[in-house]
Amino acid sequence: MPPAQHTTAKNRALASTGWYKICRSLWHALKDLSLLRKYSLLCLFLKRVMSVCTRKGTSDSEIEAACKTETSRKKTPTLELSSATQLPESTNCLACSEDGRYLSLGHSQGLSVWCASSLICVAEWLQDRLEITFTQMTRMAETTYLLGTVDDMGVARVFAYHCEGIHLLCVINIMENINKRSICLTFELSEGGDYGAASIGCNSALWLEVFHFPTEAWLKELKMALSQKQDPNSSGDVDVKWSPATVVIKVKPPKIPAGTALDGPLEVLQMTDLLTHCLALDVDTSNSHQWEELSFNTDAGITKETNESPRRCTHHFLLPCGQFPVDGKAKSQPAGLPVAVCVWWSGSHNLLQYLLKKAPKNKPADVEPMTDVLWPNAKEILCSAVSRCTRYIALGLDDALVCVWDRQSGSPLSVVLVSETDSAFFRMQFVDYWLSAEDSQTFTAAKVHLLVLCKSGAIHTVTTGRGTQTCTMQHTERPKESRDLPTVTASVPFLPSLSLVMQRNGKMFLQDVISKTTVCFLIPPTSHLIATPCNPVYALNTREQTLFIKGDQDPSCSASSKEGSQSQLFIFCFGESEIIKQYIVSLPDSPRQQKTLSCVTLEETCNLYLQQRALFVDERNKAVRQTWKQLQDTAVIVQQRHSRAAAS
């Protein structure tokens, strides 16, 4: 074939797949740019498309779909990178304080605190052969912050940042005996730093320890340490004996005491026996799952490991909310101080609640605490979330059920069937991080919005409330390819209708939950990629409306200097973008500063519950009529199916 005819055949083949039309439309869409800028953008576009098209077995339809995807991406706005700075070596975790003033960074040499506005390191705590893998930061006083960390050896520590210095206050799990080494799996500080909860494992055993931190004593000791350091007569080494943290409760997986009779009639059981009965059902269910696994595993080693696998726990701190008299001492507590912690164990149907009260001095520390409230559920709990005011507790159950409990009334707000086709729930969160003060103190029908993530990658939204009709909607469908699976789907507090989505392929964008449209893409520089997209290192500054995220050098780019190849901290300022300004709302005060309604006596709680019931009589009757109509329609459909089956 002559060269001219060969070139014409190639052009016809290119046009047949839609490439030529797409490239031509893209070229004309960039008419306002210079010729060199047009050429560079078109080359970048073709490079991305060819990376998809060069896979073995890619059809023309897939090639055209890839071209259309890239073209639609060009139409979606892009949020420009505000700034970037170099990170310490092997930065593993990142956290931001609630007031947005400071960043906490955990890396291979220890811990650093940065100023969030200037991105200047203001304090460091360094130690050789120590790698921090988790960090959290909360404000303890006006200029004092508490930091909780976990290192790669499973040791949890509590630090204080005060007057440009980091002080180690206590170690949560000190390893005194190497044969009984305890490992901290999760560690969380309550807002304000009054309490901390650590999930600790040791030799196939697992338990949850809740600590009370002496914040007032620590503040005095920090001031004393600062005065000693500033004393010209001191040697420079400040040795302060910090006040110890005390264990409030130690919760273990529920076990049935030996000799407990649970075979009798349920009517004759006492309250304590009833709690034991409900816990026994969880233990029996857990054992039944284990026996099912044992029947398929004949290897003795696998059998032993399966039978002794510990039950993981999930916990949430709870603020005073005016529920049943277990919160009777809530009025004596400072505003915003947690009064309880709720816990559920893997394989369990029950959500357990424990009061955060000091244990009696004459009571042994290893005595199992008594459950104050038990929230029973029909199915196994898979995930959970608590609203920002902690009034509502959402539980993702097996068989695609979502149960929302209202702590103020002590009853379920709603039980919703989300989907019958999707896989099991993976994670859930409240879209609204707060409720207004009117919703928490008056008897209005407050709506609750939930974001439910499935293991398949599908995302659903649930809207419910007392006296309102529950609405479920599929936000995104299950991705066709595993690289498009979302690894992070986080609701942004100051963007209530938008969610931040990060995918396994490294793409990052803001998506409108209501219209299901992509608002804008967040793209790093061409020389860098989002670090570890399966588990990205990022932090949201809600006060400054900024996203901080770690980026690594792109290996496909040309090699640069050692400093240029280190990780970078990328900063995206949402408040500066005209695209996002229309979605931004102002944040209310922290729940620690809001007044909450609490009921001391059973009579006050019952009156509150009856007032709520009286206000929503019409809505409740309407919901009952709708439910009966649905039942009648379902009965007709079932009868028709039986009739057709009998006729055939």
Side-chain angles (χ1 to χ4, degrees):
M1 182 182 296
Q5 296 180 4
H6 180 69
T7 303
T8 304
K10 287 179 63 179
N11 291 337
R12 283 199 300 268
L14 181 66
S16 65
T17 59
W19 287 30
Y20 178 74
K21 294 179 180 178
I22 294 173
C23 292
R24 185 177 61 181
S25 61
L26 180 63
W27 183 270
H28 289 296
L30 304 176
K31 59 182 179 179
D32 295 333
L33 301 179
S34 63
L35 184 63
L36 182 61
R37 184 60 175 165
K38 278 186 180 181
Y39 179 76
S40 61
L41 289 176
L42 188 59
C43 290
L44 179 62
F45 163 73
L46 291 175
K47 179 181 178 181
R48 287 178 176 170
V49 173
M50 291 304 296
S51 66
V52 178
C53 301
T54 51
R55 296 196 308 266
K56 185 177 181 180
T58 304
S59 61
D60 288 347
S61 60
E62 292 176 334
I63 294 175
E64 187 171 358
C67 293
K68 290 181 179 179
T69 301
E70 289 296 329
T71 305
S72 62
R73 180 173 177 174
K74 292 298 179 183
K75 296 179 182 178
T76 304
T78 300
L79 181 63
E80 297 294 335
L81 183 69
S82 301
S83 60
T85 186
Q86 187 172 312
L87 283 172
E89 186 177 356
S90 300
T91 300
N92 302 309
C93 49
L94 184 66
C96 185
S97 58
E98 297 99 347
D99 58 2
R101 295 178 60 186
Y102 294 101
L103 292 174
S104 172
L105 287 77
H107 42 79
S108 59
Q109 297 295 325
L111 187 67
S112 301
V113 174
W114 287 18
C115 178
S117 57
S118 62
L119 298 178
I120 297 176
C121 181
V122 293
E124 288 182 324
W125 184 86
L126 303 179
Q127 185 172 333
D128 293 337
R129 295 179 294 180
L130 178 68
E131 189 161 356
I132 302 295
T133 58
F134 168 81
T135 180
Q136 184 187 357
M137 193 175 193
T138 183
R139 190 170 73 168
M140 185 170 59
E142 185 65 28
T143 58
T144 307
Y145 297 80
L146 213 62
L147 295 92
T149 66
V150 181
D151 63 17
D152 58 339
M153 300 300 291
V155 179
R157 297 176 177 85
V158 179
F159 298 87
Y161 169 70
H162 178 73
C163 294
E164 299 185 355
I166 299 178
H167 307 271
L168 176 60
L169 301 181
C170 70
V171 180
I172 295 298
N173 51 330
I174 300 177
M175 301 178 188
E176 298 177 352
N177 188 349
I178 192 63
N179 296 323
K180 295 183 179 180
R181 179 186 171 203
S182 60
I183 297 176
C184 181
L185 303 176
T186 61
F187 184 46
E188 180 188 1
L189 300 174
S190 66
E191 186 174 347
D194 296 286
Y195 291 94
S199 177
I200 300 175
C202 178
N203 296 334
S204 75
L206 185 74
W207 64 91
L208 179 72
E209 289 188 12
V210 180
F211 298 85
H212 178 259
F213 297 134
T215 53
E216 294 182 1
W218 281 349
L219 288 173
K220 294 178 181 178
E221 292 161 358
L222 286 169
K223 293 179 181 178
M224 183 177 63
L226 181 62
S227 61
Q228 291 181 6
K229 187 177 181 180
Q230 294 177 349
D231 187 1
N233 298 325
S234 63
S235 59
D237 296 332
V238 178
D239 186 14
V240 179
K241 188 176 181 181
W242 308 103
S243 299
T246 57
V247 178
V248 179
I249 56 174
K250 182 178 180 180
V251 183
K252 297 181 181 179
K255 293 182 180 179
I256 304 305
T260 303
L262 298 173
D263 297 331
L266 191 60
E267 291 81 3
V268 301
L269 293 177
Q270 299 294 327
M271 180 57 68
T272 56
D273 296 332
L274 182 61
L275 293 177
T276 307
H277 182 82
C278 294
L279 297 178
L281 296 178
D282 279 344
V283 174
D284 291 342
T285 304
S286 177
N287 290 336
S288 65
H289 288 321
Q290 291 178 356
W291 283 111
E292 289 176 3
E293 295 180 7
L294 293 178
S295 62
F296 291 99
N297 294 284
T298 56
D299 186 16
I302 298 178
T303 299
K304 182 177 181 181
E305 182 180 355
T306 304
N307 196 24
E308 295 181 358
S309 58
R311 300 176 65 185
R312 298 299 180 95
C313 71
T314 304
H315 68 275
H316 303 282
F317 287 107
L318 302 177
L319 299 172
C321 189
Q323 61 177 81
F324 284 98
V326 294
D327 280 355
K329 297 182 179 180
K331 281 191 175 181
S332 62
Q333 297 278 4
L337 190 68
V339 295
V341 61
C342 62
V343 181
W344 60 270
W345 300 86
S346 57
S348 174
H349 291 210
N350 299 319
L351 179 70
L352 311 177
Q353 180 174 318
Y354 302 90
L355 281 181
L356 297 178
K357 53 187 177 182
K358 294 182 179 180
K361 295 182 179 179
N362 56 355
K363 184 178 179 180
D366 57 349
V367 174
E368 189 76 15
M370 183 62 185
T371 303
D372 296 287
V373 180
L374 185 144
W375 310 84
N377 301 277
K379 297 292 183 178
E380 178 184 341
I381 303 175
L382 303 179
C383 55
S384 63
V386 174
S387 62
R388 190 170 184 263
C389 65
T390 72
R391 172 179 172 177
Y392 300 107
I393 304 175
L395 300 176
L397 308 178
D398 199 9
D399 292 341
L401 286 175
V402 172
C403 179
V404 182
W405 288 92
D406 185 357
R407 293 177 55 230
Q408 187 165 329
S409 63
S411 61
L413 184 68
S414 64
V415 180
V416 187
L417 176 63
V418 175
S419 174
E420 297 180 353
T421 58
D422 271 323
S423 63
F425 294 150
F426 174 64
R427 190 171 63 250
M428 65 194 317
Q429 55 186 297
F430 283 85
V431 176
D432 299 330
Y433 275 65
W434 68 89
L435 292 176
S436 64
E438 292 78 18
D439 291 335
S440 62
Q441 298 188 22
T442 59
F443 311 118
T444 57
K447 287 188 178 181
V448 175
H449 307 276
L450 281 169
L451 205 63
V452 183
L453 288 76
C454 301
K455 290 184 178 179
S456 63
I459 302 174
H460 300 267
T461 56
V462 178
T463 303
T464 184
R466 194 171 302 280
T468 62
Q469 186 176 1
T470 301
C471 175
T472 62
M473 182 177 60
Q474 187 171 12
H475 180 44
T476 58
E477 297 180 355
R478 177 178 182 174
K480 296 181 180 179
E481 298 185 11
S482 60
R483 63 191 184 92
D484 295 331
L485 282 171
T487 57
V488 171
T489 303
S491 57
V492 187
F494 52 88
L495 302 173
S497 60
L498 303 185
S499 60
L500 175 65
V501 181
M502 302 181 193
Q503 295 179 341
R504 188 179 293 181
N505 54 16
K507 291 182 181 179
M508 183 169 52
F509 51 90
L510 288 173
Q511 197 166 28
D512 194 320
V513 178
I514 300 175
S515 63
K516 304 179 184 179
T517 58
T518 301
V519 176
C520 66
F521 285 98
L522 283 68
I523 301 177
T526 56
S527 59
H528 284 74
L529 301 172
I530 298 300
T532 59
C534 292
N535 187 22
V537 179
Y538 76 100
L540 271 171
N541 189 333
T542 57
R543 291 296 176 185
E544 300 298 329
Q545 301 173 355
T546 305
L547 171 67
F548 301 94
I549 188 165
K550 176 186 174 182
D552 287 340
Q553 182 78 24
D554 188 354
S556 62
C557 293
S558 58
S560 59
S561 62
K562 182 179 179 181
E563 294 183 357
S565 62
Q566 288 187 5
S567 300
Q568 299 284 319
L569 181 66
F570 299 135
I571 299 94
F572 293 93
C573 296
F574 297 131
E576 298 177 357
S577 173
E578 296 295 334
I579 306 169
I580 306 176
K581 279 185 178 180
Q582 56 181 327
Y583 298 96
I584 296 178
V585 297
S586 58
L587 285 175
D589 292 335
S590 168
R592 287 175 53 85
Q593 301 172 355
Q594 293 180 2
K595 295 181 181 179
T596 54
L597 183 64
S598 61
C599 301
V600 176
T601 64
L602 180 61
E603 182 180 359
E604 292 181 9
T605 304
C606 291
N607 289 335
L608 171 64
Y609 179 71
L610 292 175
Q611 288 175 11
Q612 288 180 326
R613 298 277 295 178
L615 286 174
F616 303 132
V617 171
D618 296 336
E619 291 84 352
R620 200 163 55 253
N621 292 336
K622 181 180 178 181
V624 170
R625 290 193 297 268
Q626 291 178 349
T627 303
W628 275 111
K629 186 178 183 303
Q630 291 176 358
L631 289 174
Q632 292 173 355
D633 296 341
T634 305
V636 171
I637 295 174
V638 171
Q639 289 178 357
Q640 292 176 353
R641 289 180 180 176
H642 284 310
S643 301
R644 287 195 296 266
S648 60

